[in-house]
């Protein structure tokens, strides 16, 4: 038990050091922990992952016929004969992963908007907070895609399980990036959910020859999940791999990440700095504040009387000005408290 005790003590010491650290790396780790906790509190999304994916795949597998049809594969540059029910399973898995990951990231970003604003005002960099959201998205997309891939193996026998999982992961990254952008740009939660659901349905549906028998490859290749669908079909029915099509998803993700950077910067900007609290033509006073060895504060003004107000508890917190050069000692502030004088 001693090695385990030493390891636990080391982890606790590392966490204690991280809690008080102020480096950029420490801030990034703390922000990632905030994002992971935000996703973990989304119980509806977790229930969808556990129950919706297998139920949805089971319904699709049981309803659609087992007849064969031709799927135009850009990987093999020709038509591939596939079973309709198994092809529909790939479409259903991509649809489920994109909906769940997009919903989780959109909901997390929407709920943390005010918290992110406070973190930025507290000194956190915007790049640090956005990288934390993207890192949490990687973890969410990886977990959901692995679970969906394992569930797929109960309904079909893909040639390459790893390539199928990477295809689902690519689709999850794409819609996770879209969820982040929508969470920052849209003002209502209903609008974001509607955009994610309709985009995912149309995107995946028109690529399935069961629904769209026409060969519209020229238009389909611009869809967000085109690469995931092509690589997923190739991984399930052929021995061919397609790294190029797998990279289409990360490219969409990078595009959404750039949009998220702009939207996040606008969302978390300090609007207080643009507010003019004092009119431009108002008279100003030059005030000097000095600290005495005993902890008292001395306020001196060479531009006229100054009204001193302190947030410290005292009998006369706002004393009227006495002379042009006023000296007002303030009480010693309690530990870890800063007295504000204005």
């Amino acid at each position: 038990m001693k090695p385990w005790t030493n390891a636990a003590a080391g982890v606790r010491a590392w966490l204690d050091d991280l809690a008080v650290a102020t480096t950029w790396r420490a801030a990034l780790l703390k922000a990632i922990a905030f994002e992971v906790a935000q996703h973990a509190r989304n119980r509806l999304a977790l229930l969808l992952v556990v129950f919706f994916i297998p139920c949805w795949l089971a319904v699709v597998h049981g309803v659609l016929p087992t007849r064969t049809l031709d799927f135009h594969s850009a990987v093999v540059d020709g038509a591939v004969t596939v079973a309709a029910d198994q092809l529909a399973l790939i479409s259903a898995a991509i649809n489920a992963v994109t909906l769940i990951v997009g919903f989780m990231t959109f909901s997390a970003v929407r709920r943390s908007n005010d918290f992110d604003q406070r973190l930025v005002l507290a000194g956190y960099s915007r790049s640090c907070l956005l990288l934390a959201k993207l890192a949490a998205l990687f973890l969410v997309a990886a977990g959901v895609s692995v679970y969906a891939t394992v569930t797929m193996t109960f309904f079909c026998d893909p040639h390459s399980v790893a390539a199928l999982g990477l295809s689902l992961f690519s689709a999850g990254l794409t819609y996770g990036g879209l969820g982040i952008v929508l969470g920052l740009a849209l003002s209502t939660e209903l609008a974001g959910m509607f955009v994610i659901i309709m985009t995912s349905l149309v995107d995946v549906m028109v690529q399935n020859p069961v629904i769209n028998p026409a060969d519209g490859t020229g238009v389909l290749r611009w869809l967000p999940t085109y690469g995931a669908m092509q690589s997923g079909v190739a991984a399930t029915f052929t021995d061919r791999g397609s790294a190029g099509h797998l990279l289409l998803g990360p490219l969409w993700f990078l595009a959404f990440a750039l949009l998220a950077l702009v939207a996040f910067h606008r969302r978390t900007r300090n609007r207080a700095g643009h507010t003019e609290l004092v009119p431009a033509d108002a008279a100003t006073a030059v005030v000097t504040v000095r600290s005495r060895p005993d902890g008292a504060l001395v306020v001196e003004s060479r531009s006229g009387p100054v009204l001193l107000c302190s947030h410290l508890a005292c009998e006369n917190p706002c004393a009227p000005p006495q002379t042009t050069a006023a000296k007002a000692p303030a009480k010693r502030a309690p530990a870890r408290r800063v007295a504000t004088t204005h």
Side-chain angles (χ1 to χ4, degrees):
M1 295 297 294
K2 188 175 181 180
W4 290 102
T5 304
N6 294 336
V11 171
R12 285 195 297 268
W14 179 77
L15 292 176
D16 293 339
D17 295 338
L18 180 64
V20 298
T22 58
T23 62
W24 191 90
R25 180 182 178 184
L28 177 61
L29 293 177
K30 294 176 186 178
I32 293 176
F34 295 152
E35 294 296 328
V36 172
Q38 187 74 261
H39 287 295
R41 286 195 293 266
N42 194 344
R43 297 182 180 179
L44 176 59
L46 298 179
L47 290 176
L48 289 175
V49 173
V50 176
F51 296 106
F52 175 73
I53 292 178
C55 293
W56 178 232
L57 295 180
V59 169
V60 171
H61 182 265
V63 171
L64 291 183
T66 59
R67 64 182 178 88
T68 60
L69 48 81
D70 292 334
F71 177 85
H72 184 82
S73 174
V75 178
V76 301
D77 195 17
V80 178
T81 302
V82 298
D85 58 338
Q86 295 187 14
L87 180 62
L89 283 175
I90 300 175
S91 299
I94 293 177
N95 182 237
V97 171
T98 54
L99 284 176
I100 293 175
V101 176
F103 165 68
M104 292 184 69
T105 54
F106 171 76
S107 179
V109 171
R110 284 281 302 167
R111 293 180 180 180
S112 63
N113 276 336
D114 294 337
F115 185 59
D116 291 336
Q117 179 70 48
R118 291 194 294 268
L119 288 179
V120 170
L121 295 178
Y124 278 73
S125 67
R126 294 179 174 88
S127 61
C128 174
L129 296 178
L130 185 59
L131 281 177
K133 295 182 186 300
L134 299 180
L137 168 58
F138 268 80
L139 296 176
V140 170
V144 175
S145 60
V146 167
Y147 182 77
T149 304
V150 173
T151 308
M152 282 278 292
T153 59
F154 290 97
F155 300 97
C156 64
D157 187 17
H159 285 257
S160 177
V161 178
L164 178 60
L166 289 175
S167 302
L168 297 179
F169 176 70
S170 175
L173 278 183
T174 301
Y175 274 78
L178 176 62
I180 293 177
V181 174
L182 294 178
L184 293 170
L186 297 183
S187 58
T188 61
E189 188 168 353
L190 179 60
M193 295 305 303
F194 179 80
V195 172
I196 292 175
I197 292 173
M198 295 307 299
T199 304
S200 177
L201 288 176
V202 174
D203 183 9
V204 178
M205 182 173 58
V206 297
Q207 298 185 65
N208 193 334
V210 177
I211 300 174
N212 179 24
D215 183 13
T217 307
V219 178
L220 297 181
R221 67 181 57 186
W222 299 105
L223 296 176
T225 61
Y226 173 77
M229 187 69 180
Q230 290 290 330
S231 59
V233 172
T236 304
F237 300 102
T238 68
D239 296 327
R240 301 281 296 274
S242 179
H245 287 85
L246 279 175
L247 291 177
L248 291 178
L251 287 178
W252 277 96
F253 167 74
L254 289 178
F256 287 133
L258 293 177
L259 292 176
L261 178 62
V262 176
F264 188 73
H265 186 273
R266 291 178 58 87
R267 172 74 70 172
T268 57
R269 70 181 184 273
N270 186 6
R271 297 177 176 84
H274 301 284
T275 304
E276 188 176 3
L277 299 179
V278 180
D281 55 349
T284 58
V286 179
V287 178
T288 303
V289 180
R290 295 186 293 106
S291 176
R292 290 180 176 176
D294 59 355
L297 297 178
V298 178
V299 181
E300 298 178 348
S301 172
R302 294 183 174 86
S303 301
V306 176
L307 178 64
L308 301 180
C309 299
S310 173
H311 290 291
L312 297 176
C314 58
E315 296 179 359
N316 189 14
C318 297
Q322 299 297 330
T323 60
T324 301
K327 294 186 179 181
K331 294 185 178 180
R332 185 186 297 271
R336 297 184 179 183
R337 293 186 58 185
V338 178
T340 305
T341 305
H342 57 84

